Amino acid sequence: MRINTNVNSLNAQESANITNSKLKSSLEKLSSGLAINKASDDASGLSIADKLRTQASSLSQSISNGNSASALTQIADKAMAEQSNILDVVKQKLLQASTATTSTEGRKAIAKDINKLLDQVNNIATQTNYNGQTLLQASHDGKSSTSALTFQMGELAADVITTTGAVMANTSGLTLTTLKTDVSDGSMTQTGAANQLATIDTALDTLNAWRSDFGSTQNQIESSVRNMSTAQTNIKAAESVIRDVDYAAESANFNKQNIISQA
């Protein structure tokens, strides 16, 4: 018989401490909604869950990048669509000037009109930008073509979508400089107007090629955004399995520990 050391009491205290610790951990999980509140809860699970969370947040930013890139390509496309409309009108006026039924005075008026229309082509190229970055020429001076635009569309540096570049949608880049010079003084001959018809066709082909590239890039971006959105949803679901608490199971565990603690 031992008097100084009450072994049964010590065992009871140890069990009570362990139960209270489990009860505290269970209550912490129920109150936070997380199965992992600290590394000691599940060290390996925390590492995996944090990596999944980083992957999901990276995809979220990439989706945002894609939406911005899609808006950029739309701006460029709509601007070139208006330039295409202008060139259509220019061709109509050249056809009008190249026929014998148009008078000399009529051709002078047409020349002035074409000159203004070409000025607007240049204005569109100068003014079209996204967040200050010009899209239809390298800079506001219009003396060089754009470089390829690269959009970050994934977690890795290699996950990019790139445009072809080399866009210079002004009278210089569309080889309309000669026409612009001819009409700048308000003069135009019947033969001169007829000779410029092929130039306008070439300019339209060039413009349509640039528009086609922007359109293809936009389709690629939108496809990538859809794919990343699906991946992000699945990754968040995988993280939830590891990190989030199962309330049904944890509530049962809490009740069990609470009963033991009270006992």
Side-chain angles (χ1 to χ4, degrees):
M1 180 176 180
R2 296 177 178 82
I3 298 176
N4 290 329
T5 303
N6 190 336
V7 177
N8 290 332
S9 175
L10 292 176
N11 288 334
Q13 291 179 49
E14 181 182 0
S15 297
N17 288 333
I18 292 173
T19 300
N20 286 332
S21 177
K22 292 180 179 179
L23 189 63
K24 178 183 176 182
S25 176
S26 181
L27 185 60
E28 184 180 30
K29 292 176 182 178
L30 289 172
S31 61
S32 67
L34 300 175
I36 305 175
N37 290 284
K38 51 187 180 296
S40 60
D41 290 336
D42 184 354
S44 60
L46 177 66
S47 176
I48 296 171
D50 281 352
K51 187 172 182 179
L52 289 172
R53 181 172 60 185
T54 300
Q55 187 177 5
S57 61
S58 297
L59 287 175
S60 178
Q61 182 58 56
S62 295
I63 290 170
S64 179
N65 290 350
N67 291 330
S68 297
S70 181
L72 181 150
T73 56
Q74 287 181 23
I75 291 171
D77 176 63
K78 296 301 182 182
M80 285 189 286
E82 182 57 30
Q83 288 181 317
S84 180
N85 291 336
I86 291 173
L87 294 183
D88 285 342
V89 175
V90 170
K91 183 171 183 179
Q92 292 174 23
K93 293 187 176 298
L94 287 174
L95 288 167
Q96 183 181 5
S98 62
T99 186
T101 56
T102 302
S103 65
T104 301
E105 292 301 319
R107 291 191 185 92
K108 288 182 179 181
I110 290 172
K112 291 179 181 179
D113 199 5
I114 291 175
N115 186 46
K116 291 294 184 180
L117 289 170
L118 294 179
D119 283 342
Q120 184 56 24
V121 169
N122 288 333
N123 289 340
I124 292 173
T126 301
Q127 296 167 3
T128 303
N129 72 90
Y130 182 90
N131 196 26
Q133 178 177 352
T134 53
L135 304 178
L136 304 186
Q137 56 189 33
S139 59
H140 290 290
D141 60 22
K143 295 181 179 179
S144 56
S145 59
T146 62
S147 300
L149 300 175
T150 301
F151 308 114
Q152 185 64 41
M153 297 294 294
E155 304 174 69
L156 305 177
D159 297 333
V160 296
I161 292 177
T162 307
T163 63
T164 300
V167 176
M168 191 176 175
N170 52 36
T171 53
S172 179
L174 294 170
T175 62
L176 297 173
T177 306
T178 302
L179 175 59
K180 184 71 171 68
T181 301
D182 290 345
V183 299
S184 60
D185 58 359
S187 64
M188 175 179 288
T189 64
Q190 181 179 351
T191 302
N195 291 338
Q196 292 294 342
L197 291 173
T199 303
I200 290 295
D201 287 338
T202 301
L204 284 168
D205 289 341
T206 302
L207 195 62
N208 288 333
W210 290 331
R211 286 190 67 192
S212 176
D213 177 65
F214 273 105
S216 298
T217 302
Q218 183 176 347
N219 288 335
Q220 186 181 3
I221 290 169
E222 290 175 350
S223 175
S224 179
V225 168
R226 289 192 297 270
N227 179 65
M228 289 190 294
S229 296
T230 301
Q232 182 190 37
T233 300
N234 293 331
I235 290 169
K236 285 184 175 180
E239 181 194 1
S240 176
V241 170
I242 300 172
R243 193 185 297 276
D244 294 344
V245 69
D246 183 338
Y247 267 92
E250 196 57 47
S251 294
N253 180 54
F254 175 78
N255 290 332
K256 171 187 173 182
Q257 301 301 329
N258 194 32
I259 291 170
I260 295 173
S261 176
Q262 290 175 13

